Structures are given as structure tokens and as C-alpha cells.
């Protein structure tokens, strides 16, 4: 895991941040608050958040999914980029970290755009499919437990519309995916999904080496 862009020398990474990151004050404050958390590395990098905000604006997205909320940075950065009637369905099981998320969504004045579903994300996604919300989402961000990554991808692929975008986080997994000696379950799951996506005719694909690797899968 990494919450900064991999593979850049630190001086170049600092330069990238200096000349490009435009992090809203409330996002900065959320980053500071999250730093106190033992799993703070799970928070996405600011340059990645900014990139995702640019993508949703480029697409004119209105309805999105946030699979894996943690302390709410990805949902917040997307919510700030959505129009006033934009909507995010945010999935997580952790009451404690999502309390922090809700506090900052409130503070940023975007909580009306975010519908937090505290339940296993697969259940929430299945429920949305059962309700007939297939082909209605513009954008989905997958950043939850890696063991279910393929399941999240398959369900997100039902839920986004043709021309909709699925963004999948941590696909370079700190470089572990490229080391064939590493065979733990999470690394294997990510490696298998990467391999599958490479051959998946249902999508248009790009793996962007920003932060810990962000795959973009555009549904055909
Ligand atoms: Ca992540």
C-alpha cells in the first residue's frame, strides 16, 4: 500500500505536489485528522484525489459509487466535484472511521450528496442490482478489501452505464504484484484481477501509475 505516487524520487514527488496539488482546506484538514489513525496509509494520495475529481468533472458524472470509505477522503473529493444534485452511494462496514468521514462531509457541506450504507459492500451492491439500478452509475471507485476486488469489479460493471468508468485502487500494490516470490492472498487477488482486466473485452482499459496504481476501466 502507498498513499503517495510510487517510483518517483522524493524531490520529484515533492515538485509534482508543489506545482499541481490544489487540495481544498477541508481535504487538508481531513488528511491531518486521518494521520492520527494507525491505518492512515489507506488514505488516497492528494494527487490521486485531484485526478479522480478531474475525471468525474470530465465525464459530467452525477451518480457514483464509493466502495471502501475509510475516513471519507475519496467520497469527499468526488462529492466536491459533483454538481449540486450529484449523488454518491458510499459503502463501508467501519462505524468508527466513517464517523470521521461523516464529520468532514458535513463540514464541507456535501453530506446531502453522500448516502452512507454501513453494511458489507457486496450486500449493498447486490441490493442496488436487485432494485434495478443497473446501468445507472457514471463512476465507481473500488478501494475496499482486496480479497473481494474481483466481486466488487463484477458488480460495479453491472451498475455503471455504458461509457461509465470504474476506478480500481492499489493495483500496483506497493510493487508486490510484480514480484513472483510474493504469493499472499491479497497480492494474488490483485494480480489475478489485473490479469483478467487485461483480457476483458467488456471494457476499455488503462492502468495509471499514480499513487499505488489506479486502473481505469471504461464500460463499453
Ligand atoms: Ca487504497
Amino acid at each position: 500500500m502507498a498513499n503517495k505516487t510510487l517510483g518517483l524520487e522524493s524531490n520529484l514527488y515533492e515538485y509534482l505536489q508543489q506545482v499541481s496539488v490544489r487540495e481544498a482546506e477541508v481535504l487538508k484538514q481531513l488528511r491531518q485528522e486521518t494521520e492520527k489513525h494507525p491505518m492512515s496509509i489507506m488514505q488516497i494520495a492528494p494527487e490521486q484525489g485531484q485526478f479522480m475529481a478531474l475525471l468525474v468533472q470530465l465525464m459530467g458524472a452525477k451518480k457514483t459509487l464509493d466502495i471502501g470509505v475509510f475516513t471519507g477522503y475519496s467520497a469527499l473529493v468526488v462529492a466536491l466535484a459533483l454538481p449540486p444534485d450529484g449523488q454518491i452511494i458510499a459503502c463501508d462496514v467501519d462505524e468508527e472511521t466513517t464517523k470521521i468521514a461523516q464529520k468532514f462531509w458535513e463540514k464541507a457541506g456535501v453530506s446531502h450528496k453522500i448516502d452512507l450504507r454501513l453494511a458489507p459492500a457486496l450486500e449493498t451492491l447486490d441490493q442496488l442490482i436487485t432494485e434495478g439500478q443497473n446501468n445507472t452509475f457514471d463512476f465507481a471507485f473500488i478501494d475496499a478489501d482486496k480479497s473481494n476486488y474481483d466481486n466488487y469489479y463484477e458488480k460495479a460493471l453491472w451498475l455503471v452505464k455504458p461509457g461509465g468508468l470504474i476506478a480500481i485502487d492499489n493495483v500496483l500494490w506497493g510493487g508486490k504484484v510484480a514480484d513472483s516470490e510474493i504469493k499472499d492472498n491479497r497480492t494474488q487477488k490483485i494480480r489475478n484481477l489485473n490479469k483478467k482486466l487485461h483480457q476483458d473485452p467488456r471494457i476499455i482499459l488503462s492502468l495509471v501509475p499514480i499513487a499505488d496504481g489506479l486502473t481505469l476501466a471504461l464500460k463499453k
Side-chain angles (χ1 to χ4, degrees):
M1 264 188 272
N3 61 358
K4 64 191 267 291
T5 291
L6 294 171
L8 289 181
E9 298 290 344
S10 59
N11 63 336
L12 191 53
Y13 182 61
E14 273 166 38
Y15 177 78
L16 174 155
Q17 290 201 307
Q18 274 168 24
V19 299
S20 71
V21 171
R22 298 173 171 181
E23 195 175 37
E25 191 52 39
V26 68
L27 288 167
K28 261 186 219 159
Q29 288 168 7
L30 173 54
R31 180 171 300 286
Q32 281 159 6
E33 172 115 2
T34 304
E35 273 166 18
K36 299 178 215 153
H37 193 278
M39 292 303 287
S40 64
I41 196 158
M42 280 170 61
Q43 183 166 58
I44 63 168
E47 66 273 18
Q48 178 183 344
Q50 190 170 315
F51 178 57
M52 286 165 46
L54 183 149
L55 290 175
V56 299
Q57 279 177 294
L58 182 69
M59 299 175 71
K62 273 197 169 177
K63 189 176 171 188
T64 82
L65 280 168
D66 190 72
I67 304 169
V69 171
F70 187 46
T71 59
Y73 192 99
S74 56
L76 179 53
V77 77
V78 168
L80 289 167
L82 289 180
D85 61 345
Q87 187 203 358
I88 301 175
I89 294 183
C91 310
D92 207 289
V93 287
D94 192 323
E95 277 187 45
E96 295 305 313
T97 54
T98 53
K99 258 183 210 152
I100 301 173
Q102 285 173 295
K103 184 172 94 181
F104 281 86
W105 297 342
E106 217 32 78
K107 197 169 185 175
V110 296
S111 55
H112 62 284
K113 295 184 191 175
I114 308 172
D115 177 359
L116 175 65
R117 307 282 179 95
L118 267 180
L122 288 177
E123 285 176 18
T124 301
L125 299 173
D126 278 337
Q127 194 188 340
L128 295 171
I129 291 168
T130 308
E131 288 166 11
Q133 299 204 42
N134 296 349
N135 298 313
T136 65
F137 288 83
D138 301 297
F139 176 79
F141 179 52
I142 300 176
D143 190 16
D145 55 299
K146 309 311 173 208
S147 53
N148 272 311
Y149 251 33
D150 190 27
N151 295 326
Y152 296 138
Y153 167 68
E154 286 297 332
K155 293 188 191 299
L157 201 56
W158 278 105
L159 289 162
V160 300
K161 25 170 110 152
L165 187 69
I166 302 171
I168 308 167
D169 199 30
N170 301 107
V171 293
L172 294 178
W173 202 229
K176 288 184 186 176
V177 282
D179 183 344
S180 57
E181 299 293 303
I182 300 177
K183 290 181 173 141
D184 65 273
N185 184 49
R186 291 190 297 170
T187 304
Q188 292 280 37
K189 293 280 185 180
I190 296 172
R191 198 181 272 143
N192 291 345
L193 180 60
N194 287 341
K195 207 169 156 188
K196 168 177 154 170
L197 292 176
H198 190 205
Q199 306 297 333
D200 193 333
R202 300 170 294 176
I203 54 160
I204 294 166
L205 175 70
S206 181
L207 193 168
V208 184
I210 191 169
D212 196 25
L214 183 69
T215 281
L216 300 180
L218 182 79
K219 182 174 170 179
K220 287 184 184 169

